[in-house]
Amino acid sequence: MKIVTFIKNWSLPIAMLAGVATYYVYVNMHFLDFTHDFVNEALHGYIQPSLIFCMLFVSFCKVDFNQLKPKRWMIWPLLIQTMAFVSLGAIIIMSPDSKWKVVIESAMLCMICPTAAGASVVTSKLRGNASAVVSYTCIINLAASIITPAIIPLLDEGENGITFWSSFFLILRKVFPTLIFPLVIAFTLKKLAPEIHGKIKSLKNLAFNLWIVSLALAIGVTVKAIVHSNEPLVSLAGIAMSSLVCCVMQFYIGRKIGNHYHESIACTQSMGQKNTVFAIWMGATFMNPVTAMAGGFYSVWHNMINSYQLYVERKRTA
């Protein structure tokens, strides 16, 4: 029982270590080398999106839709994230040949990246307002879908001839199936099939368990990106440090704003916990592909912070 309790209490760091171990075990089983392309395509194209979809669907079934409305505190995280993204983009536009370009782009990704699908799950574990986190998740995803296509074409990265509308619809196509669609299904199910909705709502830890699996896979993908990167160690260190600074700063600012509006947990998680799968995709699609690793590093940092927060909450309620 002590082992089971330990695993439950430290599920986030255990999932991270499992992701690292699984990657190294898998790539060293050379008789499975022929499966690498298939596994890579399945992971990015089907498994990760499906896990995020299911996790959000279960979380949305637990949310009170009457509380899904913007709150006053949401203005400040939204302004800070979007203005930081625009300001960093302006630095690159004015100094396109800067040796710090990759580091700055990494910071841009970490600032504008929308709130993670698991943020409402962790918020519930911390006894915060999960409905408010869901509201902000929708708002920041919409903002990111508009602001990033406006700035990214000016950075001279990504596909040739990329325009606002092409990048806008690419991002919208990425966001809609894994964010809006599960929200619509959960709302429809509540209205048309309340008994089924109630049974899903009663599943206590399903969303969190899905988050754990998704985290292990994301860490495995991050390790793969680092191992196969040809970037010099200095660049990788710069990206890692950039993502760490952005992570700590957003958790700190989120707590300060949240304390002022008596929504400390919701605001902290909304700002600090990121959809790093989206950040990895956006970096690989629109910017220098090496910046995709910023999302991977950020995943490590914010889950370390979440692990500590959950530890403090367990100590407080023990």
Side-chain angles (χ1 to χ4, degrees):
M1 290 300 293
K2 289 184 178 180
I3 295 175
V4 174
T5 302
F6 177 82
I7 293 173
K8 287 182 178 179
N9 288 344
W10 298 101
S11 50
L12 292 185
I14 289 172
M16 294 165 68
L17 292 173
V20 176
T22 300
Y23 169 77
Y24 279 110
V25 169
Y26 174 63
V27 297
N28 284 290
M29 298 173 70
H30 297 295
F31 64 92
L32 293 177
D33 286 353
F34 72 97
T35 67
H36 288 183
D37 290 338
F38 171 78
V39 169
N40 185 62
E41 183 177 348
L43 186 62
H44 290 284
Y46 302 100
I47 298 175
Q48 283 186 317
S50 297
L51 280 170
I52 293 173
F53 176 93
C54 293
M55 181 171 49
L56 279 174
F57 171 67
V58 174
S59 298
F60 290 157
C61 284
K62 296 176 182 291
V63 164
D64 183 356
F65 287 97
N66 294 324
Q67 296 181 11
L68 286 182
K69 55 184 179 181
K71 296 183 180 293
R72 192 175 299 173
W73 64 260
M74 297 179 185
I75 295 173
W76 300 109
L78 186 65
L79 282 174
I80 291 168
Q81 288 183 249
T82 53
M83 292 306 297
F85 179 79
V86 171
S87 299
L88 291 168
I91 293 174
I92 293 177
I93 292 169
M94 291 186 291
S95 304
D97 298 321
S98 171
K99 64 179 181 179
W100 302 106
K101 185 175 182 180
V102 169
V103 175
I104 297 171
E105 286 185 344
S106 298
M108 290 176 68
L109 284 176
C110 293
M111 293 306 299
I112 199 60
C113 182
T115 306
S120 61
V121 180
V122 175
T123 301
S124 296
K125 287 278 186 181
L126 296 172
R127 303 178 187 275
N129 187 350
S131 297
V133 176
V134 172
S135 296
Y136 187 76
T137 301
C138 295
I139 291 170
I140 190 59
N141 270 276
L142 179 61
S145 299
I146 295 172
I147 196 71
T148 50
I151 301 298
I152 284 175
L154 304 177
L155 304 181
D156 193 29
E157 296 283 2
E159 299 175 358
N160 293 328
I162 195 167
T163 64
F164 172 85
W165 290 111
S166 62
S167 53
F168 174 76
F169 284 116
L170 268 176
I171 294 171
L172 199 63
R173 189 174 67 184
K174 189 75 174 178
V175 167
F176 183 84
T178 56
L179 179 71
I180 307 301
F181 201 39
L183 181 64
V184 171
I185 293 177
F187 179 79
T188 304
L189 196 65
K190 183 178 181 180
K191 295 296 183 183
L192 302 182
E195 291 185 1
I196 298 175
H197 179 272
K199 289 181 179 179
I200 296 172
K201 187 177 179 179
S202 66
L203 298 172
K204 186 177 179 182
N205 290 315
L206 179 58
F208 188 73
N209 292 336
L210 289 170
W211 170 242
I212 294 300
V213 176
S214 180
L215 170 60
L217 292 175
I219 294 299
V221 170
T222 301
V223 173
K224 177 192 172 185
I226 295 172
V227 169
H228 290 273
S229 173
N230 294 320
E231 289 294 313
L233 186 60
V234 173
S235 295
L236 294 179
I239 293 171
M241 184 57 64
S242 173
S243 62
L244 176 60
V245 170
C246 290
C247 181
V248 173
M249 183 176 68
Q250 289 182 94
F251 270 101
Y252 176 79
I253 293 173
R255 178 168 289 277
K256 286 294 184 181
I257 296 171
N259 285 339
H260 182 76
Y261 289 95
H262 308 290
E263 284 276 16
S264 176
I265 296 172
C267 188
T268 301
Q269 298 306 315
S270 294
M271 276 202 78
Q273 200 175 344
K274 300 291 189 180
N275 181 358
T276 53
V277 174
F278 182 84
I280 291 169
W281 171 80
M282 194 158 66
T285 304
F286 299 112
M287 295 183 175
N288 185 326
V290 74
T291 60
M293 280 188 284
F297 283 120
Y298 196 102
S299 180
V300 175
W301 310 137
H302 85 221
N303 280 292
M304 289 176 65
I305 293 174
N306 283 160
S307 297
Y308 176 74
Q309 290 172 324
L310 291 170
Y311 166 76
V312 172
E313 177 64 18
R314 286 195 304 273
K315 295 285 285 185
R316 188 182 70 83
T317 58

